[in-house]
Amino acid sequence: MSFPAIHLSGITKSYSHLAEKKNGDDIPDIEVLKGITLDIGQGEFIALQGTSGSGKSTLLHIIGLLDRPTAGVYEVLGQDTSILDDDRQSDLRNQSLGFIFQSFYLIPYATALENVILPGLYSGKPRSELQARAEFLLEQVGLSDRLDFKPSRLSGGQQQRVAMARALLNEPDIILADEPTGQLDSSTSSEIIKLFHVVHEMGRTIVLVTHDEEVASAADRIIKLHDGLIAEDILKG
Ligand code: ADP
Ligand code: MG
């Protein structure tokens, strides 16, 4: 396929403060992303690295179709996202993108298996098929003996493994992760990073957001964000 996984051109994001007026004066909009132009090829493993406040999460939310840019072009898998209404954006999000967050976001009263099945419930696939895939994925992340455990009985690292399995349920082309090791100690963190390599070898495109240079060094390409702009784009040899 000739198109990149992700194509961004001149992406900006501003936040207005219409509700907040100071002494009757307008507070100017804050431009958080100042013109991001970037192609990420299919099958790449990239890290988006920068200090806190540099705009990483804002950019990942736009890439993840959780938010729209103020200006610029965003194409995912060759599809121009600006012409999609919210419903078609969420279809694309559910089919093509898998999310992993710092805080895992597992459903506390559901088992590991139920949590992994969850994103498949709207796909129309039979429950038996979803369950078989969820069991397979939980085995891949090393949790085949924890299928019936609720999140409160799992360690942080195990909870993040469940979240990784969940992100893979719908066989997305692209995995987006925002500080996935942010709540984990360093040895658990390296285990999770190893799993990202496994997921990458399965053929997924990975965008890993982190403030941590060591975590970023796991990727094949490191894009450094500084104050809403790309400061460096380093392809490791
Ligand atoms: P990072 O993930 O790199 O820490 P963010 O993308 O979360 O950075 O935030 C970048 C900047 O945008 C920060 O200065 C933050 O305060 C600001 N920001 C993020 N979301 C909003 C919002 N909803 N309204 C106003 N400002 C925001
Ligand atoms: Mg962030």
Side-chain angles (χ1 to χ4, degrees):
M1 285 173 273
S2 56
F3 45 79
I6 289 162
H7 168 75
L8 302 164
S9 179
I11 293 288
T12 67
K13 181 73 185 180
S14 300
Y15 290 108
S16 62
H17 295 266
L18 292 175
E20 304 167 36
K21 287 207 173 191
K22 218 177 184 177
N23 308 323
D25 297 332
D26 280 332
I27 300 174
D29 289 357
I30 297 177
E31 197 172 46
V32 174
L33 297 176
K34 299 176 178 169
I36 302 285
T37 295
L38 174 65
D39 275 5
I40 300 169
Q42 293 187 43
E44 274 199 277
F45 181 176
I46 75 127
L48 206 55
Q49 195 243 327
T51 52
S52 175
S54 56
K56 305 181 298 295
S57 294
T58 304
L59 184 56
L60 200 74
H61 280 92
I62 290 171
I63 293 173
L65 301 171
L66 298 167
D67 200 359
R68 290 181 188 262
T70 303
V73 175
Y74 173 33
E75 293 169 11
V76 57
L77 301 161
Q79 169 76 64
D80 180 358
T81 60
S82 69
I83 58 169
L84 303 178
D85 63 24
D86 287 350
D87 283 350
R88 289 190 57 212
Q89 281 213 1
S90 51
D91 288 346
L92 187 59
R93 187 165 61 234
N94 292 333
Q95 286 155 19
S96 304
L97 305 173
F99 293 90
I100 299 163
F101 298 99
Q102 177 171 356
S103 317
F104 323 133
Y105 293 130
L106 300 178
I107 306 290
Y109 50 81
T111 63
L113 187 68
E114 294 294 347
N115 268 284
V116 175
I117 287 173
L118 208 69
L121 292 181
Y122 305 100
S123 65
K125 287 190 184 130
R127 161 91 200 186
S128 56
E129 189 185 318
L130 293 173
Q131 178 157 340
R133 177 149 176 84
E135 284 174 5
F136 166 76
L137 288 167
L138 282 163
E139 187 187 324
Q140 296 255 296
V141 299
L143 291 177
S144 40
D145 55 350
R146 296 287 188 277
L147 302 182
D148 295 328
F149 281 49
K150 290 183 179 164
S152 59
R153 292 178 61 209
L154 299 170
S155 69
Q158 289 172 333
Q159 290 184 57
Q160 196 58 302
R161 286 165 188 267
V162 174
M164 288 182 82
R166 179 184 58 186
L168 291 165
L169 188 83
N170 289 334
E171 303 185 66
D173 291 287
I174 303 168
I175 294 287
L176 304 174
D178 196 349
E179 305 276 7
T181 61
Q183 284 194 20
L184 307 174
D185 63 55
S186 64
S187 75
T188 309
S189 181
S190 9
E191 294 297 315
I192 292 296
I193 294 300
K194 271 187 209 150
L195 268 183
F196 273 96
H197 284 290
V198 173
V199 171
H200 180 226
E201 277 152 25
M202 292 172 176
R204 261 79 211 198
T205 305
I206 296 179
V207 181
L208 169 62
V209 160
T210 179
H211 68 282
D212 187 319
E213 295 201 9
E214 197 183 321
V215 171
S217 69
D220 299 328
R221 180 178 169 202
I222 301 170
I223 292 153
K224 295 201 179 197
L225 213 58
H226 179 73
D227 199 16
L229 283 168
I230 293 174
E232 278 184 89
D233 187 340
I234 306 155
L235 192 58
K236 295 205 308 211

